[in-house]
Amino acid sequence: MPFSDVVGHDGPLGLLSRSIARGSLPPSLLFTGPEGVGKRLAAQAVAEALNCLSPVRGGVRPATGPEATAAGRPARRRVPARPVPAEHATLVLPLDACGECAACRRIAKGTHPDVLAIEPPDVGALKIEVVRPAIAATAYRPFEGRCRVVIVNEADRLTEDAQHALLKSLEEPAGGSVFVLVTSRSGVLLPTIRSRCSQVRFAPLRAGDVARLLTERHGFSVDDAFAAAAAADGSPGRAVASAARGFRQSRDSALATIQAVARGTSPRARVQAAMGLLAGKSSAAGERDELMTRIALMASLLRDLALVASGGRVEDLANGDLAAPLAELGGAFGRDRALRAYDAADQAIVALRRNASPKIVADWLAVHM
Ligand SMILES: [Zn+2]
């Protein structure tokens, strides 16, 4: 997959493409950022750009998301004071893979002899035996490509032995070799590993970009895509993984609860509204999980409500498909109330993580919205 096909991450992708074009790509890279946002795909794009037989120079693609300008900084958790202006800039890629030549196709299929991808097992650690052959291979010139690339996915699962074995290669990689370590938990890696690598940070994607990706590449309907994206916290991977859990229904319940709270002024009516949040699952753990999901979705809706109340644009809403009911709720939920309710939802999730009773948390939240 060329850089131009990776959604979002304009900052990191532009940086990588520029470095490759100039021949100044650091040989040891650490891709960090939340799970499922496209780090592994970006690593593959690096391997393709380095080995493509007919690379594309000076390509462009539309810029996506605020991370275009805020590369590496954590995603904005709060509703901005003013709506973020639309960025219709383009991402310039000085060098990119074609995605179609024999080298690109083999890298995509995982059969290129010079691109070694180390994937973790389903369960357990990445052991030294798995890493050694890749390290040994980097002692030789690439077989047919220009550059040997070793991608270690979920590098945080490397055993300490395996990390020690990698250290020397990361410090002085053999000529023509590039190591890309990919992780969503870089803190777990040995400090010596982290310090030898150049870190490239990937931020969560905008909900709108996640929804677009889900409809275009994963066959989601528009409604399902928006519902899944709202709950996925900027991670398409997480959205796809959890789609089976029926987010749309959960989001409908979250919206219905906000609407009931907006109508009900007495504490009694509020507690009645809270009933809508509880799914009535048979197991306590199931009930807690579903309530967390519903409250996370509620938080996403409340953030949108604050944005609507601040005069934000529909394109910036995480739940853009619900613009009409959100606008209707604007009468009951102004910006300040929506933000207070958002804070309460945040606190409710923390309480649930600490094992508070789902019923008590739901009641408390409905009264504090
Ligand atoms: Zn190519």
Side-chain angles (χ1 to χ4, degrees), residues 48-49 51-56 96-105:
E48 288 186 23
N51 286 297
C52 177
L53 302 175
S54 46
V56 180
D96 198 2
C98 72
E100 284 162 13
C101 70
C104 285
R105 284 206 309 270

Side-chain angles (χ1 to χ4, degrees), residues 153-168:
N153 199 22
E154 296 189 35
D156 48 275
R157 287 169 66 183
L158 289 163
T159 61
E160 217 172 300
D161 276 358
Q163 292 187 51
H164 281 299
L166 265 177
L167 268 179
K168 197 171 158 37

